[in-house]
Amino acid sequence: MTAASMTPQEVREQVERLGPWFHNLELMGVRTAPDHFLGDYPAMKFRNFAHAIPADLSGKSVLDVGCNAGFYSMEMKRRGAGRVVGIDSEDLYLEQARFATAVNGMTDIEFHKMSVYDVASLGEKFDFVIFMGVLYHLRHPLLALDLLREHVVGDLMLFQSMLRGSTEVEPVAADYDFQEEEHFDRPGYPKMHFIEHRYAHDPTNWWAPNRACAEAMLRSSGFEIVQQAEDEVFLCRRAEITDGEPRAVYPAR
C-alpha cells in the first residue's frame, strides 16, 4: 500500500506514530499538529509573505534548508518547481516530510539528512534557496550564511529569523574611532543577543538578532536585500562581494 492510497484513519495512525510535529499540515483531512501553540503554522505565516515568491517556478531548482516536515518544499512544488531538495539534520523531521509528500503525491521531492554547514557537498547551486527558521538555532550563524552564498545560492534566497529587540535600523558608519562607543548602545545599531541557556523552553535557541543585525549579516555575507516580505522575512539575491575581505567558508569535505 502506498501512502497516497491510505484511508484517513490509516493516515491518522501514521501521523500519531511520527509525532510530535512542528509543521501543522493537513493530510487527507488529518491535522498533524492540531494543538500547535501557533495555530495553523506555518501556513498562517506563509500567507503573509507568499506574494514575494515567484508564482511560477517552472523549471527552477529549489533547496529547502531545515525543511522540517516539508511544508515549504511542497509549496514550491505546487508553484511548479522542477527540482526540490529538502535537507534537515533531524531524522524525525525527514521521516515526517517523506510521509507528507508521499500522501500528497509529491514523491519526486528529495530529502537528505544534512547540516547547513555541509551544503557544499551538494555540489550545485540552486535558483531559489529557502533558509527560514534556522539561523537562531545555530551556534555559528554567520558561517552558515557565508557557506550558503558560496556554495548553493545561485540567485534568490528567502530568509527568516526570529528577531528580538529594536525594530529600528539606522545608518552605520564605514568605520569608527577606537574611542567611540556610544553607537553600540543605539537601538538601531546591529545587535545579536546570545542565549546561554534556553529561550521558549528550547535549548537550541542560541541567538536572537535585532532587525538591523539580520540585515547587516545578510549584506556582510554577500546578499542584496530585495524586499522585506514580512516582519521577519527577507527576499535576498546573491550579490558580488567587493570589499576583498575573506569570508569563513570551506569547501566540501
Side-chain angles (χ1 to χ4, degrees), residues 85-124:
V85 177
I87 65 171
D88 206 291
S89 59
E90 294 292 332
D91 289 318
L92 176 61
Y93 292 153
L94 292 168
E95 192 174 358
Q96 290 172 350
R98 292 187 179 105
F99 174 68
T101 52
V103 169
N104 286 330
M106 299 180 181
T107 54
D108 57 339
I109 298 178
E110 302 172 36
F111 292 105
H112 304 286
K113 184 176 183 180
M114 184 180 296
S115 162
V116 64
Y117 304 120
D118 293 320
V119 291
S121 64
L122 290 168
E124 64 180 296

Side-chain angles (χ1 to χ4, degrees), residues 188-252:
Y189 190 82
K191 293 184 179 71
M192 181 77 99
H193 308 93
F194 176 66
I195 302 163
E196 182 181 2
H197 302 298
R198 292 175 184 243
Y199 181 66
H201 313 296
D202 188 338
T204 72
N205 283 331
W206 290 108
W207 299 99
N210 64 7
R211 177 163 297 135
C213 181
E215 294 183 11
M217 290 176 71
L218 288 167
R219 290 192 299 268
S220 177
S221 294
F223 293 101
E224 171 195 0
I225 298 174
V226 177
Q227 179 183 356
Q228 184 179 339
E230 196 243 13
D231 285 347
E232 298 179 339
V233 180
F234 300 86
L235 182 66
C236 309
R237 174 165 274 119
R238 189 180 193 274
E240 293 303 313
I241 294 177
T242 59
D243 61 16
E245 296 297 327
R247 265 45 178 185
V249 297
Y250 50 80

Side-chain angles (χ1 to χ4, degrees), residues 1 10 18 20 29 37 43 52 70 77 105 107 125 130 133 137 139 142 165 170 200 205 228:
M1 176 190 299
E10 289 168 331
L18 292 173
F37 73 102
K77 200 66 183 176
T107 54
K125 285 187 167 65
I130 299 171
H137 293 302
R139 287 184 65 91
L142 192 60
E170 64 178 62
N205 283 331
Q228 184 179 339

Side-chain angles (χ1 to χ4, degrees), residues 53-65 67 70-87 108-112 122 124-132 148 152-158:
I53 302 171
D56 184 4
L57 291 172
S58 298
K60 302 294 186 181
S61 57
V62 176
L63 175 65
D64 186 1
V65 180
C67 62
F71 174 87
Y72 292 109
S73 294
M74 290 186 284
E75 288 297 329
M76 297 308 103
K77 200 66 183 176
R78 291 186 181 106
R79 293 186 180 222
R83 179 161 180 251
V84 179
V85 177
I87 65 171
D108 57 339
I109 298 178
E110 302 172 36
F111 292 105
H112 304 286
L122 290 168
E124 64 180 296
K125 285 187 167 65
F126 293 79
D127 299 308
F128 192 67
V129 173
I130 299 171
F131 186 56
M132 300 189 60
L148 289 169
V152 293
V153 178
D155 185 18
L156 294 173
M157 180 176 77
L158 190 69

